[in-house]
Amino acid sequence: MTEVATGSTSLSPGNRQVWVRVRGPLLALALLVAAGIAIAALYSGDQHGRLDPRSADPYGSRAVAELLKDRGVSTHVVTTLDEAANAVGPDTTLLVATPDLLTTGQQEVLHTAADASGGRMVLVAAGPASADTLAPGVFTDAPTKVSTLDPRCSYPAADRAGSAELGGERYDTDAPGADSCYPSGGLPTLVRLDAADGGDTVLLGSPNILFNERLDKHGNASLALQLLGSRPELVWYLPSLSDASATQEDGTGTGTESGNEGDEDASSTFLDLIPSGWLWGTLQLAVAAALAAIWRARRLGPLVTERLPVAVRASESTEGRARLYRNANARDRAAASLRSATRTRLAPILGVHLVDAHSPETLLPAVSTHLPTGERDIHALLFGPAPADDTALIQLADQLDALEREVRTS
């Protein structure tokens, strides 16, 4: 059987056999892709327009924008650094939705513009990547889970709002006159700092109080309206990686960062846009692929001789093997098998060691000494080429049989 598989004649599986083998993995892959598309379609809408005051999705912020509008506060959405820096002023509240997306150069430009404006800047979930630049004197600590917290401070807006859903980023500051509210684990999750020219900066550890689905919980609405409605105009800055200032040298031309550093920050912040669920999903797919490979892999090892459950006659085994050779049209293998068996049987009779049974230099002289010189070509008979057709193969078998009988009787 092994010789047939390794013969010159191809025994590659047909199209039907290939399809039977691969249809299971293909079906599993198709189901996996379909499940991924279905999950993406079901849940992608929940995060669409996150912290966007124009979005009515659960994680949008249209509800707070509408409430501010009823109080006479206009909301203007900007997506570039130039628009945000030019819009700040004493009558303006600048909300930065995701400050960690800004490069260091962008942060410095924005801080300079907001600090001298006399207005308010609200930073939502500013982490270590942005807090120390946009709010000098504030240090970040390990984040905590979002929960309902009490203000525990003297800041009037927090005192009037009462308990609210905060947490997330935690801050620490020793700046004079700073208000530190809603502590979690001993550190505040809301900090207000006085800025130059009568303005201030507010850091929110979590965006929950701004989400549409959380606005009516506890004191979230009251706190959000007081923080964002202290001035008649609200500029809602949604940083974007498409902003040209993210890759320009020195931010917008007035910062201190080099172009290479800006590009490095922009490339690093792109990974922040990938939800953590995708990373876990990729890991799970890798583990599943490894397990599938182990399951489908063939365990190759040394051949083990096993007793057959039934006795098979040698003639039947020979006939079955011959039929396999014939079906595969493998006359070369059949002839090689016949010649090898004949040489192996002749060697002990001729006094040749089995190791040299298949060596023409050793076997042929021994045969010649036992047989009279004739017209037969012993070399071609025992070591010659493969027969050209079935008739030649049968003739070869007969000649080998005759040669063996003659050696035995000589």
Side-chain angles (χ1 to χ4, degrees):
M1 296 293 291
T2 303
E3 291 181 349
V4 175
T6 58
S8 59
T9 304
S10 174
L11 295 179
S12 301
N15 294 335
R16 179 177 177 81
Q17 292 176 309
V18 173
W19 166 246
V20 171
R21 293 178 182 178
V22 303
R23 64 183 178 184
L26 289 178
L27 178 60
L29 180 61
L31 292 176
L32 183 63
V33 172
I37 295 175
I39 293 175
L42 289 175
Y43 293 100
S44 61
D46 292 342
Q47 297 290 335
H48 176 71
R50 180 181 173 88
L51 282 180
D52 192 327
R54 300 162 298 187
S55 173
D57 292 333
Y59 292 95
S61 301
R62 183 175 178 179
V64 68
E66 292 295 329
L67 291 177
L68 289 170
K69 181 179 179 180
D70 294 339
R71 292 172 172 245
V73 178
S74 61
T75 301
H76 179 53
V77 179
V78 298
T79 57
T80 65
L81 178 63
D82 289 339
E83 291 175 318
N86 294 331
V88 295
D91 297 328
T92 301
T93 298
L94 174 64
L95 182 143
V96 185
T98 48
D100 284 358
L101 289 182
L102 300 174
T103 66
T104 304
Q106 289 177 306
Q107 294 171 18
E108 292 178 350
V109 171
L110 187 62
H111 170 67
T112 301
D115 193 54
S117 67
R120 166 173 289 181
M121 180 168 61
V122 178
L123 305 175
V124 181
S130 61
D132 57 346
T133 303
L134 292 174
V138 175
F139 308 96
T140 59
D141 204 295
T144 184
K145 66 178 182 179
V146 177
S147 59
T148 303
L149 302 175
D150 295 325
R152 297 182 185 178
C153 64
S154 58
Y155 181 41
D159 185 61
R160 287 191 293 266
S163 60
E165 291 184 351
L166 282 168
E169 299 292 342
R170 297 190 302 167
Y171 306 103
D172 190 13
T173 181
D174 54 2
D179 293 308
S180 300
C181 306
Y182 297 97
S184 176
L187 292 176
T189 58
L190 184 152
V191 172
R192 190 197 67 84
L193 303 173
D194 289 326
D197 297 333
D200 61 3
T201 299
V202 178
L203 293 93
L204 279 175
S206 169
N208 276 44
I209 67 171
L210 304 176
F211 290 151
N212 291 331
E213 69 171 3
R214 309 304 303 175
L215 191 62
D216 61 342
K217 309 297 182 182
H218 310 288
N220 293 352
S222 175
L223 183 60
L225 293 177
Q226 292 182 81
L227 295 178
L228 304 183
S230 61
R231 274 111 176 135
E233 184 177 358
L234 171 62
V235 177
W236 202 293
Y237 181 23
L238 298 173
S240 171
L241 290 177
S242 62
D243 187 356
S245 65
T247 56
Q248 289 178 354
E249 184 176 356
D250 296 336
T252 58
T254 59
T256 60
E257 282 295 306
S258 67
N260 291 337
E261 291 176 347
D263 290 343
E264 182 178 351
D265 289 341
S267 63
S268 63
T269 55
F270 174 75
L271 297 177
D272 297 335
L273 296 179
I274 302 177
S276 59
W278 283 102
L279 300 179
W280 283 110
T282 303
L283 177 61
Q284 292 175 4
L285 288 177
V287 172
L291 293 177
I294 295 174
W295 169 55
R296 297 292 295 178
R298 293 183 177 180
R299 299 181 179 179
L300 301 180
L303 295 177
V304 178
T305 303
E306 296 183 0
R307 297 183 60 183
L308 295 176
V310 295
V312 179
R313 294 180 180 179
S315 59
E316 294 180 0
S317 177
T318 302
E319 183 179 357
R321 188 171 185 178
R323 287 178 178 175
L324 290 175
Y325 282 140
R326 183 176 182 180
N327 292 336
N329 199 25
R331 285 186 295 273
D332 53 346
R333 288 295 181 182
S337 179
L338 290 173
R339 284 170 169 153
S340 176
T342 301
R343 294 194 299 264
T344 301
R345 291 192 296 268
L346 288 177
I349 301 174
L350 299 173
V352 176
H353 197 277
L354 288 177
V355 176
D356 300 321
H358 306 291
S359 174
E361 293 78 6
T362 304
L363 184 65
L364 293 179
V367 174
S368 299
T369 60
H370 283 71
L371 297 178
T373 303
E375 297 181 354
R376 290 176 300 181
D377 187 353
I378 304 300
H379 183 279
L381 183 60
L382 293 175
F383 298 96
D389 51 31
D390 291 344
T391 302
L393 179 62
I394 295 174
Q395 184 179 0
L396 173 64
D398 292 339
Q399 292 175 351
L400 290 172
D401 187 46
L403 175 64
E404 184 177 349
R405 287 198 307 270
E406 189 173 352
V407 170
R408 290 179 181 275
T409 58
S410 63

